[in-house]
Amino acid sequence: MPAKRLSYSLAAGASFGSGFGATYLEPTVRYQLNPRLRVFSSLTYMSVMPGQYSVPASDGGTTLMRTSPSNHYIAHVGADYLVNDRLILSGSVWKDFSNIPAQNPAYMNFMTPGRQGMDFRATYKITEHFSVTGGMRYSNGASPFYGPFQHPVSMGRSGGFW
């Protein structure tokens, strides 16, 4: 259990791919309500860079499409509950307050207005250095954690009970 009841962190990152990229800054605050329950909140500022992608054209060729840059403001709140020394249950809700129209299909509707969602996870600690996490996520629009190969699990949750 953390010695302090209130803790802060700042995460920053960047993602670059073929024809697109994004950077983000995420300050997070966590408050330990009691030895088993911790609540957290974060606000993410994400800057999506202008990009380009190709789409099939009706004549059999391809057309190069370009996207405009955009800024996103994502609020995230949730809680972690320590059931016992090996099991943590976590849940959170998030909402993107930016109003950006859809542009790039590579973002899987990330830029559709009204993006919001929730998730629930259970993390089981098998050994001191090995744990297993399973969960489910619901989103309307798209998840701010979308990636075709991974879903980060640390957004808003850095600093564990263990």
Side-chain angles (χ1 to χ4, degrees):
M1 180 179 86
K4 298 185 216 175
R5 290 179 61 99
L6 188 63
S7 61
Y8 307 93
S9 66
L10 178 65
S15 173
F16 301 97
S18 178
F20 64 94
T23 59
Y24 76 92
L25 256 166
E26 181 191 28
T28 300
V29 61
R30 285 171 297 287
Y31 185 73
Q32 192 79 34
L33 290 172
N34 62 48
R36 294 197 177 272
L37 182 62
R38 176 180 57 213
V39 294
F40 61 87
S41 179
S42 68
L43 181 62
T44 302
Y45 167 71
M46 180 181 292
S47 176
V48 178
M49 298 169 200
Q52 61 187 27
Y53 59 99
S54 59
V55 295
S58 58
D59 64 2
T62 59
T63 302
L64 184 64
M65 305 293 286
R66 298 184 190 279
T67 62
S68 300
S70 61
N71 295 313
H72 300 268
Y73 307 92
I74 303 165
H76 187 207
V77 296
D80 298 316
Y81 182 71
L82 182 65
V83 176
N84 57 43
D85 289 343
R86 293 192 177 269
L87 179 63
I88 295 177
L89 300 179
S90 303
S92 67
V93 295
W94 59 268
K95 178 151 179 76
D96 186 344
F97 289 96
S98 53
N99 191 14
I100 311 291
Q103 294 181 21
N104 185 340
Y107 291 108
M108 301 297 288
N109 296 324
F110 178 72
M111 296 184 192
T112 304
R115 296 160 306 274
Q116 58 195 1
M118 62 182 162
D119 68 21
F120 174 78
R121 287 190 304 221
T123 301
Y124 187 76
K125 180 179 172 183
I126 296 172
T127 69
E128 186 63 30
H129 302 287
F130 183 71
S131 63
V132 176
T133 299
M136 55 190 214
R137 174 177 292 138
Y138 167 79
S139 66
N140 178 11
S143 169
F145 312 115
Y146 176 77
F149 305 109
Q150 66 170 355
H151 293 281
V153 295
S154 62
M155 299 284 284
R157 299 178 194 269
S158 58
F161 280 102
W162 298 318

